[in-house]
Amino acid sequence: MDEFLDDFFSKQEEEYVEEFSFLNEYNNLGDQLYCICEGSEDKICYLPKIKSIVRKNLRIYDVGGKDNVIEIFNRCEMQQGYDLNRIMFIVDRDFDESLNNEQIYELPVYSIENLFATPEVLQDFIELTIGVTNQGVIDKILKNYLIREMEFNYLLQELNICLYYTKKIFESLKDENDNTYEFYADIRLPSIDDEEVKKYVKVTLLKVNIDNGFNIIRDRYNFLRPVDIEKMKNNKFSIENARKNYKGKYQLYFFLSYIKELIKDMNFGKTKASNRILADKNYGCDIELKDNTLFNILSNYVQLPLCFEEYVKKFIVIERELNFVS
């Protein structure tokens, strides 16, 4: 407890609240399971899906980022009193290489947000939430979505590559034994705010546009070699790999923006009926157009990879084996 209190007084920022909650609440007695994940969005999506698999008591904590999840894992692995057969650790892939650690589940996509921005989730949403039953309209929406998605991904492709290389350069320069990017040693690496990017991208049902301000953001990365950027366009960051490898917050921004425009279109009626682009009638969608509201609804339709279910099921198998032994 003394060590716990020392940590508490040295790290009192808000992002550590859930970390200390876990360290304080953890107990090896009983059949309680625990899960450590990165953020609140992860908690919303993972909690019901894990509970549906294990059908047991589960406490889940979002600890403010991938590094914090890994730090807690290392603490639990090194210190006595923590049973790793009771604790799930879940992280995003981001732009990193795989952790290759069987005890930490790593999404095979950039982040949980990437799993939201898919045609499958959109179809479930328009059928089950909006209530569209006309197959012709459903097909029309999905076809339109794929066109807008491709436009968005082409516009964001190069920025994703720039962010990837900047991260790799930063990590390489911190490692004294890595000289891969030493020719960038004197460059002051730029940073951007996600909200700054979003405000320059306008998503409609007819076209995805970018404002001139977006080019200013891109120009911050003009120190990168064009040959490296072009190589990535045909490899890791090809348009075909966008749903998997592009930054999740931008993919989710596009997806939510598209859905908001779609709901508006579905609500046109009477004198505004002629303004419809995809809808065949007024569906009267009484849905609050707030990101949190839409995120919570869409989380019901997100399908997590099979490897996630396999990871969670291991905790059921391990518990049965422990009970059999005892």
Side-chain angles (χ1 to χ4, degrees):
M1 181 58 73
D2 289 341
E3 182 180 358
F4 171 81
L5 291 176
D6 288 342
D7 277 347
F8 181 79
F9 287 116
S10 65
K11 300 195 302 187
Q12 296 186 51
E13 292 88 347
E14 184 176 347
E15 65 189 72
Y16 293 106
V17 170
E18 296 243 336
E19 175 183 344
F20 288 118
S21 294
F22 163 70
L23 297 174
N24 188 42
E25 294 171 3
Y26 179 82
N27 193 324
N28 271 331
L29 301 177
D31 61 354
Q32 184 75 55
L33 291 176
Y34 303 86
C35 178
I36 312 297
C37 63
E38 293 190 30
S40 56
E41 295 90 354
D42 305 270
K43 180 189 289 188
I44 290 170
C45 193
Y46 290 132
L47 179 58
K49 294 183 180 351
I50 295 175
K51 279 189 170 183
S52 70
I53 297 172
V54 299
R55 300 189 181 279
K56 294 179 63 63
N57 294 329
L58 177 75
R59 293 181 184 174
I60 189 167
Y61 306 84
D62 57 286
V63 296
K66 184 175 184 175
D67 289 343
N68 289 338
V69 175
I70 296 173
E71 179 186 338
I72 295 172
F73 169 78
N74 291 333
R75 176 195 290 259
C76 294
E77 186 179 41
M78 296 296 293
Q79 294 184 0
Q80 292 184 348
Y82 295 99
D83 182 358
L84 293 181
N85 295 321
R86 293 174 174 269
I87 314 169
M88 303 174 197
F89 298 90
I90 303 175
V91 297
D92 297 333
R93 172 63 61 87
D94 297 331
F95 289 142
D96 301 323
E97 301 303 319
S98 176
L99 294 173
N100 289 319
N101 188 326
E102 293 183 355
Q103 293 176 301
I104 301 177
Y105 178 77
E106 186 176 40
L107 275 176
V109 297
Y110 181 95
S111 69
I112 190 71
E113 288 91 343
N114 295 67
L115 299 179
F116 280 74
T118 67
E120 293 77 17
V121 173
L122 176 62
Q123 182 167 352
D124 284 345
F125 179 79
I126 59 181
E127 290 182 359
L128 301 175
T129 298
I130 296 180
V132 180
T133 57
N134 186 325
Q135 189 59 49
V137 174
I138 295 171
D139 292 342
K140 187 177 179 182
I141 293 171
L142 294 177
K143 181 178 179 180
N144 178 269
Y145 172 79
L146 292 174
I147 295 172
R148 301 289 85 83
E149 179 190 40
M150 185 166 291
E151 289 175 351
F152 177 81
N153 288 336
Y154 269 119
L155 292 172
L156 271 289
Q157 182 184 39
E158 195 161 311
L159 178 60
N160 273 279
I161 296 171
C162 292
L163 293 173
Y164 169 81
Y165 270 117
T166 303
K167 178 178 175 62
K168 293 304 176 186
I169 292 168
F170 176 76
E171 292 173 346
S172 173
L173 296 179
K174 286 199 308 180
D175 186 348
E176 295 179 355
N177 298 316
D178 186 354
N179 60 2
T180 307
Y181 296 105
E182 61 181 354
F183 44 87
Y184 291 119
D186 297 326
I187 299 293
R188 182 176 180 181
L189 299 177
S191 63
I192 58 174
D193 188 305
D194 290 336
E195 297 305 314
E196 183 184 11
V197 174
K198 294 175 187 176
K199 75 178 182 180
Y200 293 127
V201 182
K202 176 68 174 176
V203 178
T204 74
L205 300 182
L206 295 175
K207 191 173 180 61
V208 178
N209 293 298
I210 58 172
D211 186 89
N212 287 334
F214 187 87
N215 295 323
I216 297 175
I217 295 175
R218 170 60 189 88
D219 287 344
R220 297 176 194 171
Y221 298 88
N222 58 15
F223 61 89
L224 293 170
R225 300 191 303 186
V227 63
D228 291 333
I229 293 176
E230 290 304 314
K231 180 179 66 177
M232 282 295 184
K233 285 183 178 180
N234 298 312
N235 192 355
K236 183 181 180 73
F237 288 93
S238 68
I239 297 300
E240 292 75 20
N241 289 329
R243 289 181 196 157
K244 177 181 178 181
N245 293 334
Y246 286 20
K247 186 168 181 174
K249 280 186 169 50
Y250 300 157
Q251 299 300 106
L252 181 63
Y253 167 74
F254 160 73
F255 194 66
L256 293 179
S257 299
Y258 185 89
I259 283 180
K260 291 174 187 177
E261 292 299 306
L262 182 62
I263 291 174
K264 293 175 185 176
D265 193 64
M266 294 285 170
N267 281 334
F268 283 137
K270 298 182 179 179
T271 59
K272 295 184 178 181
S274 60
N275 295 332
R276 295 175 193 151
I277 299 172
L278 299 175
D280 60 331
K281 63 180 181 180
N282 179 6
Y283 284 85
C285 308
D286 187 21
I287 302 172
E288 190 177 35
L289 299 183
K290 290 185 176 181
D291 289 351
N292 287 343
T293 301
L294 292 173
F295 187 91
N296 287 332
I297 295 172
L298 293 167
S299 65
N300 296 309
Y301 306 132
V302 170
Q303 295 298 312
L304 291 168
L306 179 61
C307 54
F308 174 80
E309 184 174 345
E310 293 172 348
Y311 172 80
V312 173
K313 281 184 175 179
K314 287 195 302 184
F315 290 84
I316 303 175
V317 174
I318 290 172
E319 183 189 28
R320 286 174 180 166
E321 291 175 348
L322 292 175
N323 288 338
F324 178 76
V325 173
S326 61

